[in-house]
Amino acid sequence: MVRPRGKPSLGRQRIEIRRIEDGERRQVTFSKRRTGLFKKASELSTLCGASVAVVAFSKAGNVFGFGEPSVDAVLRHYVPLPGDGAGAVPAPAHVEDSDAPGPEELDALRRAAEQTKAQVAAEQERMRDVADKITQAMADRQFWWEADVEALGEAELPEFARSLERLRDSLLDLTSNH
């Protein structure tokens, strides 16, 4: 593709590294660079089998983290929390850590994490479908618990029953406190 004559795009130009004064631009830059940093950390872990933890704190006080296998696992390996066991001492950078997971174990952990993410996404989708079915079963009724249970399928009935039980328990708690 031929670029029209004129100013080049700012996308790939080298910029001077200094504080960005405009708060909105600084926030956009933080978000984009944080994503890039996490991507590089993921690539490092994938390519080299390294355990990686990156934590970024925004100016607003939000905390963002990335870790392979997880930020918590990497941090606990080198600095255990009180009660986690006898304190671990970080191994020198040049010494191979025999307790560190190997490439096969890291790959297995990554596959398990991906499967878990897929299962969570599928369950969230299923719950949205259940909510939609319950909404349809309500028709013109005012309250969700008045839904037509005959219109619900096998997948929706157990969730509807659990919701009714939670409602009953909440009502019992309210009445016993007064």
Side-chain angles (χ1 to χ4, degrees), residues 82-172:
D84 275 356
V89 177
H94 65 280
V95 175
E96 191 67 31
D97 190 352
S98 61
D99 290 339
E104 297 84 19
E105 189 177 353
L106 285 173
D107 286 341
L109 287 171
R110 283 189 197 94
R111 282 192 302 275
E114 289 301 318
Q115 287 175 339
T116 302
K117 287 178 189 176
Q119 289 172 339
V120 167
E123 182 63 17
Q124 288 173 334
E125 181 63 29
R126 190 186 74 77
M127 291 305 293
R128 279 192 290 276
D129 291 344
V130 167
D132 290 344
K133 287 273 188 153
I134 291 173
T135 301
Q136 290 171 0
M138 283 177 55
D140 294 328
R141 293 172 177 84
Q142 184 176 2
F143 302 106
W144 64 265
W145 56 83
E146 295 175 330
D148 180 15
V149 293
E150 300 295 325
L152 299 177
E154 285 183 35
E156 295 83 26
L157 285 174
E159 184 58 34
F160 188 71
R162 280 192 293 274
S163 296
L164 286 173
E165 289 170 359
R166 285 193 301 268
L167 175 63
R168 182 198 62 210
D169 294 343
S170 294
L171 289 172
L172 288 174

Side-chain angles (χ1 to χ4, degrees), residues 1-160:
M1 177 177 159
V2 177
R3 181 176 296 280
R5 294 206 181 256
K7 287 181 159 182
S9 164
L10 294 178
R12 297 291 289 175
Q13 288 185 349
R14 186 173 293 262
I15 65 165
E16 179 184 349
I17 301 298
R18 63 177 168 76
R19 179 177 167 81
I20 299 171
E21 296 304 322
D22 180 23
E24 189 174 326
R25 282 187 53 226
R26 188 171 48 244
Q27 177 59 39
V28 168
T29 301
F30 176 81
S31 294
K32 288 182 178 181
R33 293 213 171 210
R34 183 189 73 233
T35 303
L37 178 64
F38 290 172
K39 184 176 179 184
K40 290 291 185 187
S42 174
E43 291 170 359
L44 177 66
S45 175
T46 300
L47 293 171
C48 303
S51 295
V52 178
V54 178
V55 180
F57 299 87
S58 72
K59 186 78 170 174
N62 297 321
V63 180
F64 302 92
F66 171 83
E68 278 295 329
S70 72
V71 172
D72 191 47
V74 173
L75 294 179
R76 283 177 184 247
H77 180 75
Y78 292 100
V79 184
L81 294 175
D84 275 356
V89 177
H94 65 280
V95 175
E96 191 67 31
D97 190 352
S98 61
D99 290 339
E104 297 84 19
E105 189 177 353
L106 285 173
D107 286 341
L109 287 171
R110 283 189 197 94
R111 282 192 302 275
E114 289 301 318
Q115 287 175 339
T116 302
K117 287 178 189 176
Q119 289 172 339
V120 167
E123 182 63 17
Q124 288 173 334
E125 181 63 29
R126 190 186 74 77
M127 291 305 293
R128 279 192 290 276
D129 291 344
V130 167
D132 290 344
K133 287 273 188 153
I134 291 173
T135 301
Q136 290 171 0
M138 283 177 55
D140 294 328
R141 293 172 177 84
Q142 184 176 2
F143 302 106
W144 64 265
W145 56 83
E146 295 175 330
D148 180 15
V149 293
E150 300 295 325
L152 299 177
E154 285 183 35
E156 295 83 26
L157 285 174
E159 184 58 34
F160 188 71

